Amino acid sequence: MQRIYNRTYLIIFLSILFIHYLLSFILFDGVIFGQETDVFEAELLFNKILGDIYKKDFYILDSLIVGNYEWYYFTRALYVTNYIYSLFSTENAYLIIDIICKIVAYISFFRLSKLVNNKIFYSFLIAAIYSYASTTSFTDYQSSIFGFGSAILPYLTYLSLKKKKLKIKNYLIIIFSAINSHFYFGMFYLLIPIILYLYDNNLDKIKSLKIFIVFFIFCILANSNLLYLAFFNEVTFNRDNWQTESLSIYQNIIYFFNSLFYFPLHFDSIELPNGQLSKILHFPTFFSKVCIFLIYTLTVFLLLTNKIENSRLFIIIILGILLISFISKTHFYSTLVDYLDIGIVKTIQMTRVKVILTFIFFFALSNIKINKIKSYIFFIFIFTFFAFQINHMILPAFKKYINYNSYNDLEKKKLKYNLINFNFFELKIIIKKNIVKPKNPIYLTIDNYYDTQNFLYLKSLVKDQYVLPININPAKLIYNRIKTPGGYFQFYPQSYKDNFKKIIVNELNKNTSWKQDFDIWGHRLYAFVNDNKNIELNFAHMKEMKIKYLVSDKKLFNENLETVCEKCNNNQKINLYSIK
């Protein structure tokens, strides 16, 4: 009978999963994303490039940072799943891996939860939610883009707790998931056997150690290119000069509680009509985090009210994980790491221990000791599960009815001002007065972000010459096989960073925020101008770096530039210039 229930719930989950993607394609013509940071400028792009390498297509690789980039600089260079990107389009490859990850996460947690509490419907709900929480949030690598690390942890735990010997198929599953997981998972998953021993004193310690050591070994092998960069490569990297971030005690306490509850509130600074700066809630962050926030808050409540078995142990584990993260943000820790001067090894962020935090919260929930589950718990579960289906679709849905780009700058400021101050009456008047339903609204999908149609037109003009994008993400050029000297990179030679800086140094000196980001982090080799009528880029050095063109989202005015086309291909945000 249980097998029938198991299959029924799996079919229900797969049906909802199918509807989720189908709805995205029907409404938005592709897989919809909530935000673009990191996802498009690095992660998806890197997977595509690695897929090209599998096809023995090295065109873009050989052009990255003007030929100074090697294949083993990529963080996922050896993942087997990259092969899927060589067989399918970027969107289809992402979709295939994402679906597989969600199914693995669901089955893994369903088995674990049913083993722990034997409540089948409850296990179905919590596993369904976990499948999304562990694969759709880009915070702390909880995303299918980073492999199977988060999805497979419940299965590793299940194997450790189940009173059965390991079979060959178990090892094969462990190995496959390990060779497609970020090294942070391999590193921090070594804490899990200790946690499980404290959880179950009758645990087969040898078996548990075998499971997680096998995972660790193969995970490290899959990320061995990073070990080579850290210990054997003689090139000085941008990360060798990394300045370890520290927070004040007050900021660190806020960070601690933000991590504990996964607060969805993030504020951006905006300029109001009166010229003053104010804070406004960043809605994409809110909608992407609110689902996990509900689960974290519910878990904390149940732990504090002793509604979960081993509540004290789970509280200690959660606080211990957050304490490690807290310490790694202290001035003492950052000073110590900088003093040791251990190259790029010092850039390992101990805050990433939070990769196991989501699992710990869900594992705690699976240990609920209430015989009859309270209705409010089921309500939160069901609400959260369905909220996960639409949280990335809420803001894009408004684009079907409100064309934000049709507003002038003053109207945009008034919109934000009235939104901040909850002046909904004035807000309604502005929206109603200016509402213009866009003919072709642009949503955050893979095809729309990389804008292949327009950038392939650009490619036809520039051929194989290097193009420097101004206030345009270089990822769009790289994706469309346009050679560019910049981009978003985790590892690259420090000498190239110094060389690239010569182009933008004068513009950096006029922008404190960009300068700080470039000097301290330096992942983003982006060119920009503060004033398109007063450009202070180093054109002479551009020529030395073989750069022939500039492409900008706005018109540029400078005697060193000759217009090739403005509003290229009838797109006002693509303006191409050659360097005289």
Side-chain angles (χ1 to χ4, degrees):
M1 182 64 71
Q2 277 198 350
R3 288 187 177 180
I4 295 175
Y5 278 126
N6 294 355
R7 291 173 183 173
T8 301
Y9 287 129
L10 177 59
I11 291 171
I12 293 172
F13 172 76
L14 292 175
S15 300
I16 294 173
L17 187 65
F18 173 77
I19 293 172
H20 167 72
Y21 289 111
L22 182 63
L23 188 63
S24 182
F25 275 91
I26 290 174
L27 294 178
F28 310 111
D29 299 320
V31 179
I32 194 75
F33 290 83
Q35 55 190 32
E36 63 185 59
T37 305
D38 287 358
V39 182
F40 292 99
E41 59 186 344
E43 310 306 345
L44 279 171
L45 177 65
F46 294 166
N47 287 353
K48 178 189 182 298
I49 294 172
L50 290 165
D52 289 342
I53 293 173
Y54 267 97
K55 294 188 294 188
K56 297 182 180 180
D57 181 353
F58 300 97
Y59 178 80
I60 284 299
L61 174 65
D62 291 341
S63 72
L64 294 180
I65 59 173
V66 197
N68 290 276
Y69 204 85
E70 304 291 346
W71 68 267
Y72 51 87
Y73 292 176
F74 288 114
T75 54
R76 292 183 294 278
L78 302 176
Y79 287 20
V80 176
T81 49
N82 292 330
Y83 186 68
I84 296 176
Y85 281 85
S86 70
L87 300 175
F88 301 94
S89 67
T90 304
E91 184 174 61
N92 288 338
Y94 168 80
L95 194 61
I96 291 168
I97 296 172
D98 192 60
I99 290 173
I100 294 173
C101 274
K102 282 181 169 56
I103 294 173
V104 168
Y106 167 78
I107 295 175
S108 297
F109 205 95
F110 182 77
R111 285 192 172 190
L112 173 62
S113 181
K114 192 159 65 70
L115 175 69
V116 170
N117 61 49
N118 203 31
K119 297 179 176 69
I120 299 179
F121 181 65
Y122 181 82
S123 297
F124 159 70
L125 279 180
I126 195 172
I129 299 169
Y130 182 80
S131 70
Y132 281 87
S134 63
T135 61
T136 59
S137 170
F138 288 87
T139 303
D140 298 317
Y141 298 93
Q142 309 288 318
S143 168
S144 61
I145 284 180
F146 300 107
F148 289 81
S150 291
I152 204 63
L153 180 53
Y155 181 72
L156 305 181
T157 306
Y158 164 80
L159 290 178
S160 296
L161 295 176
K162 193 169 178 63
K163 309 302 180 184
K164 282 188 178 181
K165 291 184 179 180
L166 295 173
K167 298 179 180 179
I168 293 177
K169 69 175 184 179
N170 300 136
Y171 281 112
L172 292 176
I173 293 172
I174 295 169
I175 290 170
F176 177 79
S177 60
I179 60 177
N180 292 288
S181 296
H182 196 281
F183 83 92
Y184 277 128
F185 294 107
M187 184 169 70
F188 291 120
Y189 279 11
L190 292 178
L191 296 173
I192 300 296
I194 300 172
I195 293 172
L196 293 180
Y197 176 70
L198 296 173
Y199 172 80
D200 181 3
N201 291 332
N202 296 318
L203 180 77
D204 186 339
K205 295 183 284 295
I206 301 301
K207 184 178 78 169
S208 183
L209 284 172
K210 280 183 181 178
I211 291 168
F212 286 94
I213 288 175
V214 168
F215 184 91
F216 171 79
I217 290 172
F218 281 91
C219 183
I220 294 302
L221 286 174
N223 294 277
S224 57
N225 59 307
L226 303 183
L227 294 179
Y228 172 76
L229 296 181
F231 297 107
F232 303 107
N233 195 60
E234 296 181 356
V235 175
T236 300
F237 285 96
N238 60 309
R239 283 186 168 229
D240 285 274
N241 297 313
W242 179 291
Q243 296 179 35
T244 308
E245 182 185 23
S246 64
L247 300 174
S248 67
I249 296 297
Y250 173 75
Q251 290 173 322
N252 211 352
I253 291 173
I254 297 297
Y255 180 76
F256 178 93
F257 283 101
N258 275 335
S259 300
L260 175 61
F261 290 101
Y262 208 77
F263 279 125
L265 304 181
H266 173 74
F267 294 90
D268 283 339
S269 294
I270 65 162
E271 184 181 354
L272 300 178
N274 57 11
Q276 294 181 341
L277 291 178
S278 184
K279 298 287 187 180
I280 185 171
L281 180 65
H282 188 253
F283 285 107
T285 300
F286 176 81
F287 289 123
S288 67
K289 286 189 172 185
V290 69
C291 297
I292 303 178
F293 164 73
L294 291 173
I295 293 296
Y296 275 31
T297 304
L298 173 65
T299 308
V300 171
F301 171 76
L302 294 175
L303 286 171
L304 294 178
T305 55
N306 200 30
K307 298 295 192 299
I308 289 175
E309 296 282 356
N310 298 310
S311 289
R312 183 178 298 178
L313 174 61
F314 280 111
I315 290 172
I316 291 172
I317 292 169
I318 291 170
L319 292 179
I321 293 170
L322 294 177
L323 183 61
I324 294 172
S325 180
F326 181 91
I327 292 172
S328 69
K329 287 289 188 181
T330 60
H331 180 69
F332 169 79
Y333 178 85
S334 62
T335 302
L336 177 64
V337 170
D338 289 338
Y339 173 77
L340 292 175
D341 194 21
I342 48 180
I344 64 174
V345 176
K346 72 179 181 181
T347 66
I348 294 177
Q349 300 175 64
M350 296 303 291
T351 57
R352 301 303 188 189
V353 70
K354 291 188 296 181
V355 297
I356 64 178
L357 195 58
T358 296
F359 167 74
I360 296 298
F361 272 94
F362 277 84
F363 187 34
L365 282 174
S366 69
N367 282 267
I368 195 164
K369 62 182 180 182
I370 306 171
N371 290 327
K372 186 177 181 181
I373 308 299
K374 302 294 183 181
S375 58
Y376 72 87
I377 297 175
F378 276 125
F379 174 78
I380 291 175
F381 277 5
I382 293 172
F383 174 82
T384 303
F385 179 53
F386 283 103
F388 263 123
Q389 311 303 313
I390 62 171
N391 64 340
H392 290 330
M393 303 182 188
I394 295 173
L395 286 179
F398 281 99
K399 289 187 176 181
K400 295 179 76 72
Y401 303 101
I402 298 176
N403 187 0
Y404 184 70
N405 291 327
S406 68
Y407 293 83
N408 59 42
D409 290 340
L410 180 60
E411 289 169 337
K412 289 178 181 178
K413 290 179 180 180
K414 286 181 178 179
L415 274 174
K416 294 176 180 178
Y417 176 79
N418 288 296
L419 183 62
I420 292 170
N421 293 285
F422 301 103
N423 296 330
F424 294 116
F425 180 74
E426 293 293 331
L427 191 66
K428 181 181 178 181
I429 292 175
I430 296 172
I431 292 175
K432 189 175 181 179
K433 180 181 177 181
N434 295 279
I435 190 167
V436 178
K437 187 175 180 180
K439 295 180 181 179
N440 297 299
I442 298 175
Y443 310 113
L444 195 54
T445 63
I446 292 174
D447 286 343
N448 286 341
Y449 180 82
Y450 291 117
D451 196 9
T452 299
Q453 181 179 355
N454 285 310
F455 281 94
L456 284 183
Y457 175 79
L458 188 69
K459 170 71 175 178
S460 69
L461 299 177
V462 300
K463 308 299 181 185
D464 287 332
Q465 302 297 333
Y466 278 93
V467 182
L468 181 68
I470 307 297
N471 298 332
I472 293 176
N473 199 305
K476 298 184 179 185
L477 280 70
I478 297 171
Y479 185 91
N480 291 292
R481 302 173 70 83
I482 299 173
K483 292 182 177 181
T484 182
Y488 183 118
F489 305 104
Q490 295 290 332
F491 304 96
Y492 64 93
Q494 175 66 31
S495 58
Y496 187 81
K497 178 180 178 180
D498 297 335
N499 198 25
F500 187 87
K501 185 177 181 179
K502 293 177 183 178
I503 295 176
I504 60 174
V505 62
N506 292 329
E507 295 289 349
L508 282 177
N509 290 334
K510 295 190 293 184
N511 191 313
T512 305
S513 176
W514 271 102
K515 179 175 173 56
Q516 184 178 15
D517 184 77
F518 186 89
D519 291 339
I520 295 177
W521 300 98
H523 293 339
R524 291 176 171 86
L525 293 168
Y526 293 177
F528 66 97
V529 295
N530 293 281
D531 182 351
N532 62 333
K533 294 182 180 180
N534 182 26
I535 300 172
E536 295 190 44
L537 297 172
N538 189 331
F539 290 97
H541 192 66
M542 287 185 206
K543 291 181 179 180
E544 292 179 13
M545 292 181 65
K546 304 177 183 178
I547 299 170
K548 300 293 185 182
Y549 296 95
L550 267 64
V551 61
S552 171
D553 66 336
K554 295 180 180 179
K555 293 182 179 181
L556 300 179
F557 302 90
N558 188 277
E559 59 185 10
N560 292 291
L561 297 175
E562 183 176 336
T563 302
V564 176
C565 65
E566 291 179 338
K567 298 182 180 180
C568 304
N569 205 31
N570 295 319
N571 188 308
Q572 63 180 359
K573 291 189 176 183
I574 299 180
N575 302 280
L576 183 65
Y577 305 89
S578 63
I579 301 174
K580 293 180 181 179

